[in-house]
Each structure stands twice: as structure tokens, then as C-alpha cells.
mmCIF file of all heavy atoms in Angstrom:
data_model
loop_
_atom_site.group_PDB
_atom_site.id
_atom_site.type_symbol
_atom_site.label_atom_id
_atom_site.label_comp_id
_atom_site.label_asym_id
_atom_site.label_seq_id
_atom_site.Cartn_x
_atom_site.Cartn_y
_atom_site.Cartn_z
ATOM 1 N N MET K 150 -234.524 -246.554 226.097
ATOM 2 C CA MET K 150 -233.686 -246.671 227.315
ATOM 3 C C MET K 150 -234.441 -246.684 228.559
ATOM 4 O O MET K 150 -235.571 -246.289 228.634
ATOM 5 C CB MET K 150 -232.687 -245.398 227.282
ATOM 6 C CG MET K 150 -231.319 -245.749 226.701
ATOM 7 S SD MET K 150 -230.479 -246.979 227.699
ATOM 8 C CE MET K 150 -229.940 -248.081 226.404
ATOM 9 N N PHE K 151 -233.733 -247.053 229.637
ATOM 10 C CA PHE K 151 -234.421 -247.225 230.927
ATOM 11 C C PHE K 151 -234.236 -245.955 231.772
ATOM 12 O O PHE K 151 -233.088 -245.385 231.706
ATOM 13 C CB PHE K 151 -233.927 -248.460 231.661
ATOM 14 C CG PHE K 151 -234.252 -249.769 231.018
ATOM 15 C CD1 PHE K 151 -233.284 -250.492 230.366
ATOM 16 C CD2 PHE K 151 -235.589 -250.170 230.937
ATOM 17 C CE1 PHE K 151 -233.648 -251.676 229.701
ATOM 18 C CE2 PHE K 151 -235.949 -251.360 230.306
ATOM 19 C CZ PHE K 151 -234.974 -252.092 229.641
ATOM 20 N N ALA K 152 -235.203 -245.622 232.522
ATOM 21 C CA ALA K 152 -235.084 -244.486 233.484
ATOM 22 C C ALA K 152 -234.239 -244.976 234.647
ATOM 23 O O ALA K 152 -234.111 -246.214 234.938
ATOM 24 C CB ALA K 152 -236.433 -244.111 233.933
ATOM 25 N N ASP K 153 -233.561 -244.046 235.373
ATOM 26 C CA ASP K 153 -232.783 -244.473 236.479
ATOM 27 C C ASP K 153 -233.645 -244.967 237.629
ATOM 28 O O ASP K 153 -234.799 -244.648 237.678
ATOM 29 C CB ASP K 153 -231.689 -243.468 236.908
ATOM 30 C CG ASP K 153 -232.270 -242.288 237.705
ATOM 31 O OD1 ASP K 153 -232.816 -242.505 238.780
ATOM 32 O OD2 ASP K 153 -232.209 -241.153 237.215
ATOM 33 N N SER K 154 -233.016 -245.781 238.511
ATOM 34 C CA SER K 154 -233.812 -246.473 239.513
ATOM 35 C C SER K 154 -234.599 -245.547 240.471
ATOM 36 O O SER K 154 -235.737 -245.891 240.887
ATOM 37 C CB SER K 154 -233.002 -247.468 240.291
ATOM 38 O OG SER K 154 -231.946 -246.812 240.915
ATOM 39 N N ASN K 155 -234.044 -244.431 240.784
ATOM 40 C CA ASN K 155 -234.781 -243.447 241.649
ATOM 41 C C ASN K 155 -235.991 -242.988 241.001
ATOM 42 O O ASN K 155 -237.040 -242.825 241.580
ATOM 43 C CB ASN K 155 -233.831 -242.225 242.026
ATOM 44 C CG ASN K 155 -232.834 -242.649 243.066
ATOM 45 O OD1 ASN K 155 -232.934 -243.679 243.777
ATOM 46 N ND2 ASN K 155 -231.719 -241.821 243.182
ATOM 47 N N GLU K 156 -235.874 -242.701 239.687
ATOM 48 C CA GLU K 156 -237.034 -242.189 238.944
ATOM 49 C C GLU K 156 -238.114 -243.267 238.800
ATOM 50 O O GLU K 156 -239.297 -242.986 238.904
ATOM 51 C CB GLU K 156 -236.520 -241.722 237.527
ATOM 52 C CG GLU K 156 -237.649 -241.236 236.569
ATOM 53 C CD GLU K 156 -238.484 -240.090 237.068
ATOM 54 O OE1 GLU K 156 -238.124 -239.430 238.107
ATOM 55 O OE2 GLU K 156 -239.516 -239.809 236.457
ATOM 56 N N VAL K 157 -237.653 -244.442 238.562
ATOM 57 C CA VAL K 157 -238.612 -245.609 238.406
ATOM 58 C C VAL K 157 -239.391 -245.760 239.740
ATOM 59 O O VAL K 157 -240.588 -245.941 239.717
ATOM 60 C CB VAL K 157 -237.906 -246.925 238.067
ATOM 61 C CG1 VAL K 157 -238.820 -248.141 238.152
ATOM 62 C CG2 VAL K 157 -237.235 -246.843 236.724
ATOM 63 N N GLN K 158 -238.675 -245.675 240.832
ATOM 64 C CA GLN K 158 -239.272 -245.823 242.187
ATOM 65 C C GLN K 158 -240.296 -244.636 242.432
ATOM 66 O O GLN K 158 -241.397 -244.886 242.943
ATOM 67 C CB GLN K 158 -238.187 -245.726 243.244
ATOM 68 C CG GLN K 158 -238.503 -246.509 244.486
ATOM 69 C CD GLN K 158 -237.282 -246.742 245.344
ATOM 70 O OE1 GLN K 158 -236.333 -245.957 245.254
ATOM 71 N NE2 GLN K 158 -237.373 -247.753 246.198
ATOM 72 N N ARG K 159 -239.911 -243.467 242.027
ATOM 73 C CA ARG K 159 -240.787 -242.363 242.180
ATOM 74 C C ARG K 159 -242.051 -242.536 241.402
ATOM 75 O O ARG K 159 -243.193 -242.305 241.851
ATOM 76 C CB ARG K 159 -240.015 -241.040 241.683
ATOM 77 C CG ARG K 159 -240.728 -239.729 242.021
ATOM 78 C CD ARG K 159 -240.009 -238.581 241.372
ATOM 79 N NE ARG K 159 -240.152 -238.451 239.950
ATOM 80 C CZ ARG K 159 -241.161 -237.820 239.409
ATOM 81 N NH1 ARG K 159 -242.048 -237.221 240.134
ATOM 82 N NH2 ARG K 159 -241.311 -237.777 238.029
ATOM 83 N N ARG K 160 -241.960 -242.969 240.149
ATOM 84 C CA ARG K 160 -243.091 -243.167 239.273
ATOM 85 C C ARG K 160 -243.961 -244.255 239.844
ATOM 86 O O ARG K 160 -245.179 -244.101 239.858
ATOM 87 C CB ARG K 160 -242.616 -243.585 237.874
ATOM 88 C CG ARG K 160 -241.874 -242.562 237.131
ATOM 89 C CD ARG K 160 -241.315 -243.055 235.830
ATOM 90 N NE ARG K 160 -240.688 -242.104 234.999
ATOM 91 C CZ ARG K 160 -240.290 -242.345 233.778
ATOM 92 N NH1 ARG K 160 -240.344 -243.582 233.250
ATOM 93 N NH2 ARG K 160 -239.720 -241.408 233.043
ATOM 94 N N GLN K 161 -243.386 -245.361 240.293
ATOM 95 C CA GLN K 161 -244.170 -246.480 240.803
ATOM 96 C C GLN K 161 -244.928 -246.124 242.000
ATOM 97 O O GLN K 161 -246.075 -246.544 242.284
ATOM 98 C CB GLN K 161 -243.286 -247.726 240.926
ATOM 99 C CG GLN K 161 -242.830 -248.285 239.620
ATOM 100 C CD GLN K 161 -242.063 -249.526 239.754
ATOM 101 O OE1 GLN K 161 -241.665 -249.968 240.794
ATOM 102 N NE2 GLN K 161 -241.785 -250.202 238.612
ATOM 103 N N MET K 162 -244.289 -245.225 242.822
ATOM 104 C CA MET K 162 -245.015 -244.734 244.076
ATOM 105 C C MET K 162 -246.236 -243.925 243.629
ATOM 106 O O MET K 162 -247.311 -244.001 244.250
ATOM 107 C CB MET K 162 -244.007 -243.931 244.880
ATOM 108 C CG MET K 162 -244.484 -243.642 246.288
ATOM 109 S SD MET K 162 -244.708 -245.123 247.231
ATOM 110 C CE MET K 162 -243.021 -245.399 247.728
ATOM 111 N N LEU K 163 -246.003 -243.036 242.683
ATOM 112 C CA LEU K 163 -247.201 -242.207 242.187
ATOM 113 C C LEU K 163 -248.292 -243.088 241.647
ATOM 114 O O LEU K 163 -249.477 -242.854 241.925
ATOM 115 C CB LEU K 163 -246.681 -241.201 241.160
ATOM 116 C CG LEU K 163 -245.833 -240.010 241.762
ATOM 117 C CD1 LEU K 163 -245.048 -239.368 240.647
ATOM 118 C CD2 LEU K 163 -246.628 -239.105 242.521
ATOM 119 N N CYS K 164 -247.942 -244.101 240.831
ATOM 120 C CA CYS K 164 -248.967 -244.957 240.282
ATOM 121 C C CYS K 164 -249.641 -245.748 241.411
ATOM 122 O O CYS K 164 -250.846 -246.023 241.383
ATOM 123 C CB CYS K 164 -248.332 -245.961 239.366
ATOM 124 S SG CYS K 164 -247.796 -245.168 237.806
ATOM 125 N N ALA K 165 -248.812 -246.209 242.425
ATOM 126 C CA ALA K 165 -249.429 -247.043 243.463
ATOM 127 C C ALA K 165 -250.499 -246.339 244.226
ATOM 128 O O ALA K 165 -251.472 -246.950 244.647
ATOM 129 C CB ALA K 165 -248.308 -247.449 244.456
ATOM 130 N N TYR K 166 -250.460 -245.075 244.349
ATOM 131 C CA TYR K 166 -251.462 -244.289 245.026
ATOM 132 C C TYR K 166 -252.470 -243.610 244.091
ATOM 133 O O TYR K 166 -253.298 -242.765 244.511
ATOM 134 C CB TYR K 166 -250.785 -243.251 245.999
ATOM 135 C CG TYR K 166 -250.125 -243.907 247.153
ATOM 136 C CD1 TYR K 166 -248.740 -244.020 247.164
ATOM 137 C CD2 TYR K 166 -250.892 -244.391 248.172
ATOM 138 C CE1 TYR K 166 -248.126 -244.654 248.228
ATOM 139 C CE2 TYR K 166 -250.282 -245.031 249.305
ATOM 140 C CZ TYR K 166 -248.875 -245.160 249.310
ATOM 141 O OH TYR K 166 -248.251 -245.754 250.326
ATOM 142 N N CYS K 167 -252.403 -243.883 242.845
ATOM 143 C CA CYS K 167 -253.201 -243.219 241.819
ATOM 144 C C CYS K 167 -254.521 -244.021 241.717
ATOM 145 O O CYS K 167 -254.563 -245.220 241.547
ATOM 146 C CB CYS K 167 -252.511 -243.226 240.504
ATOM 147 S SG CYS K 167 -253.483 -242.500 239.180
ATOM 148 N N PRO K 168 -255.666 -243.279 241.795
ATOM 149 C CA PRO K 168 -256.953 -243.946 241.695
ATOM 150 C C PRO K 168 -257.242 -244.536 240.240
ATOM 151 O O PRO K 168 -258.159 -245.299 240.020
ATOM 152 C CB PRO K 168 -257.967 -242.907 242.011
ATOM 153 C CG PRO K 168 -257.276 -241.583 241.856
ATOM 154 C CD PRO K 168 -255.772 -241.887 242.042
ATOM 155 N N LEU K 169 -256.346 -244.150 239.344
ATOM 156 C CA LEU K 169 -256.508 -244.613 237.943
ATOM 157 C C LEU K 169 -255.694 -245.895 237.716
ATOM 158 O O LEU K 169 -255.652 -246.380 236.567
ATOM 159 C CB LEU K 169 -256.081 -243.539 236.934
ATOM 160 C CG LEU K 169 -256.906 -242.243 237.011
ATOM 161 C CD1 LEU K 169 -256.253 -241.129 236.273
ATOM 162 C CD2 LEU K 169 -258.292 -242.485 236.523
ATOM 163 N N MET K 170 -255.139 -246.404 238.722
ATOM 164 C CA MET K 170 -254.370 -247.730 238.638
ATOM 165 C C MET K 170 -255.363 -248.812 238.877
ATOM 166 O O MET K 170 -256.103 -248.809 239.865
ATOM 167 C CB MET K 170 -253.180 -247.709 239.564
ATOM 168 C CG MET K 170 -252.117 -248.725 239.206
ATOM 169 S SD MET K 170 -252.485 -250.299 239.989
ATOM 170 C CE MET K 170 -252.099 -249.974 241.704
ATOM 171 N N ILE K 171 -255.340 -249.828 238.004
ATOM 172 C CA ILE K 171 -256.269 -251.016 238.227
ATOM 173 C C ILE K 171 -255.356 -252.229 238.262
ATOM 174 O O ILE K 171 -254.279 -252.295 237.648
ATOM 175 C CB ILE K 171 -257.313 -251.131 237.114
ATOM 176 C CG1 ILE K 171 -256.661 -251.003 235.732
ATOM 177 C CG2 ILE K 171 -258.474 -250.123 237.328
ATOM 178 C CD1 ILE K 171 -257.575 -251.427 234.578
ATOM 179 N N GLU K 172 -255.838 -253.219 238.938
ATOM 180 C CA GLU K 172 -255.150 -254.529 239.018
ATOM 181 C C GLU K 172 -256.065 -255.669 238.539
ATOM 182 O O GLU K 172 -257.152 -255.801 239.081
ATOM 183 C CB GLU K 172 -254.648 -254.726 240.417
ATOM 184 C CG GLU K 172 -253.688 -255.992 240.507
ATOM 185 C CD GLU K 172 -252.970 -256.067 241.794
ATOM 186 O OE1 GLU K 172 -252.872 -255.054 242.527
ATOM 187 O OE2 GLU K 172 -252.549 -257.248 242.106
ATOM 188 N N THR K 173 -255.676 -256.398 237.486
ATOM 189 C CA THR K 173 -256.462 -257.502 236.996
ATOM 190 C C THR K 173 -255.479 -258.728 236.931
ATOM 191 O O THR K 173 -254.392 -258.595 236.299
ATOM 192 C CB THR K 173 -257.078 -257.249 235.651
ATOM 193 O OG1 THR K 173 -256.160 -256.581 234.795
ATOM 194 C CG2 THR K 173 -258.336 -256.396 235.757
ATOM 195 N N PHE K 174 -255.911 -259.814 237.487
ATOM 196 C CA PHE K 174 -255.141 -261.067 237.463
ATOM 197 C C PHE K 174 -253.702 -260.766 237.933
ATOM 198 O O PHE K 174 -252.662 -261.335 237.371
ATOM 199 C CB PHE K 174 -255.088 -261.656 236.023
ATOM 200 C CG PHE K 174 -256.475 -261.972 235.531
ATOM 201 C CD1 PHE K 174 -256.999 -261.285 234.426
ATOM 202 C CD2 PHE K 174 -257.251 -262.952 236.107
ATOM 203 C CE1 PHE K 174 -258.246 -261.503 233.983
ATOM 204 C CE2 PHE K 174 -258.515 -263.272 235.626
ATOM 205 C CZ PHE K 174 -259.041 -262.551 234.525
ATOM 206 N N GLY K 175 -253.518 -259.938 238.963
ATOM 207 C CA GLY K 175 -252.251 -259.677 239.498
ATOM 208 C C GLY K 175 -251.356 -258.718 238.651
ATOM 209 O O GLY K 175 -250.242 -258.519 239.038
ATOM 210 N N ILE K 176 -251.922 -258.189 237.618
ATOM 211 C CA ILE K 176 -251.105 -257.265 236.816
ATOM 212 C C ILE K 176 -251.719 -255.850 236.949
ATOM 213 O O ILE K 176 -252.885 -255.619 236.700
ATOM 214 C CB ILE K 176 -251.121 -257.664 235.300
ATOM 215 C CG1 ILE K 176 -250.381 -259.048 235.208
ATOM 216 C CG2 ILE K 176 -250.426 -256.611 234.489
ATOM 217 C CD1 ILE K 176 -250.393 -259.603 233.808
ATOM 218 N N ARG K 177 -250.763 -254.950 237.307
ATOM 219 C CA ARG K 177 -251.193 -253.501 237.552
ATOM 220 C C ARG K 177 -251.095 -252.749 236.238
ATOM 221 O O ARG K 177 -250.070 -252.842 235.588
ATOM 222 C CB ARG K 177 -250.347 -252.823 238.599
ATOM 223 C CG ARG K 177 -250.529 -253.434 239.962
ATOM 224 C CD ARG K 177 -249.543 -252.855 240.933
ATOM 225 N NE ARG K 177 -249.932 -253.243 242.293
ATOM 226 C CZ ARG K 177 -249.397 -252.735 243.321
ATOM 227 N NH1 ARG K 177 -248.400 -251.782 243.283
ATOM 228 N NH2 ARG K 177 -249.786 -253.070 244.589
ATOM 229 N N ARG K 178 -252.213 -252.140 235.933
ATOM 230 C CA ARG K 178 -252.217 -251.320 234.685
ATOM 231 C C ARG K 178 -252.728 -249.940 234.943
ATOM 232 O O ARG K 178 -253.477 -249.690 235.879
ATOM 233 C CB ARG K 178 -253.146 -251.944 233.626
ATOM 234 C CG ARG K 178 -252.653 -253.216 233.101
ATOM 235 C CD ARG K 178 -253.686 -253.769 232.050
ATOM 236 N NE ARG K 178 -253.187 -255.080 231.587
ATOM 237 C CZ ARG K 178 -252.255 -255.268 230.665
ATOM 238 N NH1 ARG K 178 -251.838 -254.153 229.993
ATOM 239 N NH2 ARG K 178 -251.880 -256.440 230.300
ATOM 240 N N CYS K 179 -252.339 -249.038 234.025
ATOM 241 C CA CYS K 179 -252.949 -247.736 234.032
ATOM 242 C C CYS K 179 -254.294 -247.780 233.300
ATOM 243 O O CYS K 179 -254.314 -248.232 232.152
ATOM 244 C CB CYS K 179 -252.005 -246.766 233.327
ATOM 245 S SG CYS K 179 -252.721 -245.125 233.204
ATOM 246 N N LYS K 180 -255.327 -247.321 233.935
ATOM 247 C CA LYS K 180 -256.663 -247.344 233.301
ATOM 248 C C LYS K 180 -256.752 -246.424 232.128
ATOM 249 O O LYS K 180 -257.574 -246.642 231.221
ATOM 250 C CB LYS K 180 -257.659 -246.940 234.432
ATOM 251 C CG LYS K 180 -259.046 -247.361 234.188
ATOM 252 C CD LYS K 180 -259.827 -247.332 235.528
ATOM 253 C CE LYS K 180 -261.023 -246.421 235.473
ATOM 254 N NZ LYS K 180 -261.643 -246.355 236.808
ATOM 255 N N VAL K 181 -255.956 -245.322 232.085
ATOM 256 C CA VAL K 181 -256.072 -244.386 231.037
ATOM 257 C C VAL K 181 -255.409 -244.882 229.703
ATOM 258 O O VAL K 181 -256.046 -244.893 228.681
ATOM 259 C CB VAL K 181 -255.428 -242.987 231.426
ATOM 260 C CG1 VAL K 181 -255.595 -241.990 230.350
ATOM 261 C CG2 VAL K 181 -255.988 -242.559 232.800
ATOM 262 N N CYS K 182 -254.203 -245.375 229.807
ATOM 263 C CA CYS K 182 -253.506 -245.819 228.610
ATOM 264 C C CYS K 182 -253.522 -247.286 228.451
ATOM 265 O O CYS K 182 -253.227 -247.831 227.314
ATOM 266 C CB CYS K 182 -252.076 -245.250 228.606
ATOM 267 S SG CYS K 182 -251.048 -245.880 229.913
ATOM 268 N N GLY K 183 -253.819 -248.043 229.501
ATOM 269 C CA GLY K 183 -253.844 -249.488 229.421
ATOM 270 C C GLY K 183 -252.471 -250.161 229.572
ATOM 271 O O GLY K 183 -252.458 -251.394 229.554
ATOM 272 N N CYS K 184 -251.461 -249.391 229.758
ATOM 273 C CA CYS K 184 -250.114 -249.973 229.860
ATOM 274 C C CYS K 184 -249.850 -250.596 231.194
ATOM 275 O O CYS K 184 -250.415 -250.177 232.225
ATOM 276 C CB CYS K 184 -249.030 -248.890 229.781
ATOM 277 S SG CYS K 184 -249.099 -248.037 228.164
ATOM 278 N N PRO K 185 -249.061 -251.708 231.259
ATOM 279 C CA PRO K 185 -248.684 -252.331 232.471
ATOM 280 C C PRO K 185 -247.704 -251.399 233.253
ATOM 281 O O PRO K 185 -246.729 -250.938 232.654
ATOM 282 C CB PRO K 185 -247.977 -253.681 232.111
ATOM 283 C CG PRO K 185 -247.767 -253.605 230.650
ATOM 284 C CD PRO K 185 -248.502 -252.389 230.055
ATOM 285 N N ILE K 186 -248.037 -251.115 234.482
ATOM 286 C CA ILE K 186 -247.202 -250.132 235.349
ATOM 287 C C ILE K 186 -245.770 -250.602 235.395
ATOM 288 O O ILE K 186 -244.890 -249.732 235.283
ATOM 289 C CB ILE K 186 -247.828 -250.048 236.702
ATOM 290 C CG1 ILE K 186 -249.309 -249.536 236.677
ATOM 291 C CG2 ILE K 186 -246.969 -249.193 237.648
ATOM 292 C CD1 ILE K 186 -249.433 -248.129 236.072
ATOM 293 N N GLN K 187 -245.541 -251.908 235.591
ATOM 294 C CA GLN K 187 -244.204 -252.432 235.830
ATOM 295 C C GLN K 187 -243.234 -252.023 234.698
ATOM 296 O O GLN K 187 -242.166 -251.582 234.956
ATOM 297 C CB GLN K 187 -244.296 -253.901 235.909
ATOM 298 C CG GLN K 187 -243.036 -254.630 236.436
ATOM 299 C CD GLN K 187 -242.853 -254.466 237.889
ATOM 300 O OE1 GLN K 187 -243.669 -253.785 238.589
ATOM 301 N NE2 GLN K 187 -241.834 -255.034 238.467
ATOM 302 N N SER K 188 -243.675 -252.167 233.486
ATOM 303 C CA SER K 188 -242.833 -251.827 232.306
ATOM 304 C C SER K 188 -242.887 -250.361 231.944
ATOM 305 O O SER K 188 -241.943 -249.751 231.618
ATOM 306 C CB SER K 188 -243.075 -252.735 231.145
ATOM 307 O OG SER K 188 -244.414 -252.977 230.964
ATOM 308 N N LYS K 189 -244.116 -249.824 231.962
ATOM 309 C CA LYS K 189 -244.307 -248.376 231.622
ATOM 310 C C LYS K 189 -243.358 -247.454 232.450
ATOM 311 O O LYS K 189 -242.703 -246.579 231.870
ATOM 312 C CB LYS K 189 -245.744 -248.006 231.833
ATOM 313 C CG LYS K 189 -246.072 -246.546 231.436
ATOM 314 C CD LYS K 189 -247.528 -246.302 231.634
ATOM 315 C CE LYS K 189 -247.902 -244.821 231.372
ATOM 316 N NZ LYS K 189 -247.706 -244.506 229.972
ATOM 317 N N THR K 190 -243.307 -247.717 233.736
ATOM 318 C CA THR K 190 -242.502 -246.870 234.630
ATOM 319 C C THR K 190 -240.999 -246.926 234.447
ATOM 320 O O THR K 190 -240.271 -246.110 234.844
ATOM 321 C CB THR K 190 -242.880 -247.092 236.090
ATOM 322 O OG1 THR K 190 -242.755 -248.483 236.389
ATOM 323 C CG2 THR K 190 -244.251 -246.675 236.431
ATOM 324 N N ARG K 191 -240.582 -248.019 233.845
ATOM 325 C CA ARG K 191 -239.149 -248.262 233.674
ATOM 326 C C ARG K 191 -238.589 -247.603 232.447
ATOM 327 O O ARG K 191 -237.374 -247.421 232.278
ATOM 328 C CB ARG K 191 -238.873 -249.855 233.564
ATOM 329 C CG ARG K 191 -238.992 -250.409 234.879
ATOM 330 C CD ARG K 191 -238.383 -251.797 234.771
ATOM 331 N NE ARG K 191 -237.950 -252.220 236.159
ATOM 332 C CZ ARG K 191 -238.685 -252.853 237.027
ATOM 333 N NH1 ARG K 191 -239.868 -253.195 236.689
ATOM 334 N NH2 ARG K 191 -238.338 -253.141 238.263
ATOM 335 N N LEU K 192 -239.412 -247.232 231.442
ATOM 336 C CA LEU K 192 -238.952 -246.698 230.210
ATOM 337 C C LEU K 192 -238.824 -245.218 230.284
ATOM 338 O O LEU K 192 -239.762 -244.515 230.598
ATOM 339 C CB LEU K 192 -239.845 -247.129 229.010
ATOM 340 C CG LEU K 192 -239.990 -248.647 228.777
ATOM 341 C CD1 LEU K 192 -241.057 -248.989 227.738
ATOM 342 C CD2 LEU K 192 -238.655 -249.172 228.298
ATOM 343 N N GLU K 193 -237.612 -244.767 230.011
ATOM 344 C CA GLU K 193 -237.282 -243.363 230.143
ATOM 345 C C GLU K 193 -238.262 -242.376 229.391
ATOM 346 O O GLU K 193 -238.651 -241.383 229.967
ATOM 347 C CB GLU K 193 -235.869 -243.150 229.514
ATOM 348 C CG GLU K 193 -235.244 -241.821 229.983
ATOM 349 C CD GLU K 193 -233.805 -241.662 229.467
ATOM 350 O OE1 GLU K 193 -233.380 -242.434 228.622
ATOM 351 O OE2 GLU K 193 -233.111 -240.755 229.953
ATOM 352 N N ASN K 194 -238.585 -242.759 228.158
ATOM 353 C CA ASN K 194 -239.405 -241.777 227.402
ATOM 354 C C ASN K 194 -240.941 -241.987 227.569
ATOM 355 O O ASN K 194 -241.696 -241.230 226.943
ATOM 356 C CB ASN K 194 -239.096 -241.975 225.916
ATOM 357 C CG ASN K 194 -237.723 -241.515 225.596
ATOM 358 O OD1 ASN K 194 -237.171 -240.642 226.273
ATOM 359 N ND2 ASN K 194 -237.097 -242.181 224.557
ATOM 360 N N GLU K 195 -241.254 -242.917 228.465
ATOM 361 C CA GLU K 195 -242.745 -242.932 228.840
ATOM 362 C C GLU K 195 -243.144 -241.798 229.736
ATOM 363 O O GLU K 195 -242.276 -241.176 230.400
ATOM 364 C CB GLU K 195 -243.045 -244.255 229.531
ATOM 365 C CG GLU K 195 -243.242 -245.426 228.593
ATOM 366 C CD GLU K 195 -244.528 -245.342 227.865
ATOM 367 O OE1 GLU K 195 -245.522 -244.671 228.316
ATOM 368 O OE2 GLU K 195 -244.681 -246.010 226.774
ATOM 369 N N HIS K 196 -244.425 -241.519 229.768
ATOM 370 C CA HIS K 196 -244.877 -240.577 230.705
ATOM 371 C C HIS K 196 -246.335 -240.849 231.092
ATOM 372 O O HIS K 196 -247.036 -241.621 230.441
ATOM 373 C CB HIS K 196 -244.878 -239.090 230.009
ATOM 374 C CG HIS K 196 -245.788 -239.006 228.809
ATOM 375 N ND1 HIS K 196 -245.400 -239.344 227.593
ATOM 376 C CD2 HIS K 196 -247.076 -238.590 228.766
ATOM 377 C CE1 HIS K 196 -246.423 -239.185 226.701
ATOM 378 N NE2 HIS K 196 -247.448 -238.693 227.430
ATOM 379 N N CYS K 197 -246.712 -240.312 232.194
ATOM 380 C CA CYS K 197 -248.091 -240.449 232.708
ATOM 381 C C CYS K 197 -249.042 -239.689 231.815
ATOM 382 O O CYS K 197 -248.839 -238.549 231.672
ATOM 383 C CB CYS K 197 -248.123 -239.962 234.198
ATOM 384 S SG CYS K 197 -249.779 -239.860 234.788
ATOM 385 N N PRO K 198 -250.101 -240.393 231.381
ATOM 386 C CA PRO K 198 -251.104 -239.726 230.472
ATOM 387 C C PRO K 198 -251.818 -238.506 231.119
ATOM 388 O O PRO K 198 -252.373 -237.755 230.377
ATOM 389 C CB PRO K 198 -252.039 -240.841 230.053
ATOM 390 C CG PRO K 198 -251.905 -241.893 231.093
ATOM 391 C CD PRO K 198 -250.542 -241.763 231.625
ATOM 392 N N VAL K 199 -251.806 -238.446 232.466
ATOM 393 C CA VAL K 199 -252.502 -237.307 233.089
ATOM 394 C C VAL K 199 -251.506 -236.369 233.754
ATOM 395 O O VAL K 199 -251.819 -235.532 234.591
ATOM 396 C CB VAL K 199 -253.646 -237.728 234.074
ATOM 397 C CG1 VAL K 199 -254.747 -238.528 233.328
ATOM 398 C CG2 VAL K 199 -253.036 -238.528 235.212
ATOM 399 N N GLY K 200 -250.183 -236.495 233.427
ATOM 400 C CA GLY K 200 -249.212 -235.525 233.863
ATOM 401 C C GLY K 200 -248.689 -235.710 235.254
ATOM 402 O O GLY K 200 -248.093 -234.798 235.847
ATOM 403 N N LYS K 201 -248.878 -236.918 235.875
ATOM 404 C CA LYS K 201 -248.433 -237.094 237.264
ATOM 405 C C LYS K 201 -246.863 -237.314 237.322
ATOM 406 O O LYS K 201 -246.228 -237.095 238.317
ATOM 407 C CB LYS K 201 -249.102 -238.235 237.983
ATOM 408 C CG LYS K 201 -250.548 -237.927 238.200
ATOM 409 C CD LYS K 201 -251.212 -238.923 239.156
ATOM 410 C CE LYS K 201 -252.658 -238.575 239.386
ATOM 411 N NZ LYS K 201 -253.291 -239.447 240.354
ATOM 412 N N TRP K 202 -246.373 -237.812 236.249
ATOM 413 C CA TRP K 202 -244.888 -238.018 236.156
ATOM 414 C C TRP K 202 -244.468 -237.969 234.697
ATOM 415 O O TRP K 202 -245.275 -238.018 233.781
ATOM 416 C CB TRP K 202 -244.364 -239.285 236.821
ATOM 417 C CG TRP K 202 -245.025 -240.591 236.476
ATOM 418 C CD1 TRP K 202 -246.066 -241.160 237.136
ATOM 419 C CD2 TRP K 202 -244.738 -241.432 235.383
ATOM 420 N NE1 TRP K 202 -246.428 -242.294 236.549
ATOM 421 C CE2 TRP K 202 -245.620 -242.479 235.458
ATOM 422 C CE3 TRP K 202 -243.778 -241.398 234.372
ATOM 423 C CZ2 TRP K 202 -245.620 -243.534 234.527
ATOM 424 C CZ3 TRP K 202 -243.797 -242.410 233.406
ATOM 425 C CH2 TRP K 202 -244.704 -243.484 233.508
HETATM 426 S S1 SF4 V 90 -249.515 -243.613 234.704
HETATM 427 FE FE1 SF4 V 90 -250.417 -241.796 235.649
HETATM 428 S S2 SF4 V 90 -252.631 -242.099 235.402
HETATM 429 FE FE2 SF4 V 90 -251.724 -244.057 235.000
HETATM 430 S S3 SF4 V 90 -251.735 -245.106 236.955
HETATM 431 FE FE3 SF4 V 90 -249.803 -244.050 236.841
HETATM 432 S S4 SF4 V 90 -250.025 -242.088 237.868
HETATM 433 FE FE4 SF4 V 90 -252.080 -242.978 237.350
#
């Protein structure tokens, strides 16, 4: 299931300022788990691997 839009926004903000976020070929990924930020932050049961969200 998808997380609600406020939660998605909150997560994406945290990732945007996270030094562990990398961007390659225009795609933002989490350096720790390798997941694309765009989809990872939308899924309700996903979590940040270092406990930021
Ligand atoms: S998921 Fe966590 S560790 Fe990965 S980029 Fe986002 S805030 Fe940083």
C-alpha cells in the first residue's frame, strides 16, 4: 500500500537533505539500500535503512 501524501512529502524532504542520497543519470537513490527514492518513499511499509523515517 501507499503512504499518505503528507508522509511521502516528509520522507522525500528527509532524503533530499540526506548525505546518503545519490543521483545518477537523473535518478535519486539511497546509497545504503540502493532503492530509488521516488518509489521507496511512496510505499507504506518501506523504511529508511538508517532510521531517519
Ligand atoms: S532512505 Fe534514509 S539513508 Fe537513504 S537517502 Fe533517504 S534518508 Fe538517507
Side-chain angles (χ1 to χ4, degrees):
M150 264 295 133
F151 296 109
D153 77 61
S154 59
N155 285 341
E156 175 60 11
V157 173
Q158 209 165 23
R159 189 184 77 85
R160 293 175 175 185
Q161 289 185 351
M162 193 63 83
L163 288 165
C164 288
Y166 290 103
C167 178
L169 296 169
M170 197 271 286
I171 48 167
E172 189 169 338
T173 42
F174 304 110
I176 297 176
R177 294 174 168 190
R178 289 180 185 277
C179 175
K180 201 160 123 183
V181 183
C182 62
C184 298
I186 299 298
Q187 192 78 356
S188 37
K189 181 179 176 66
T190 51
R191 287 197 153 88
L192 297 172
E193 194 177 13
N194 293 331
E195 275 291 337
H196 64 273
C197 167
V199 299
K201 293 191 180 185
W202 51 266

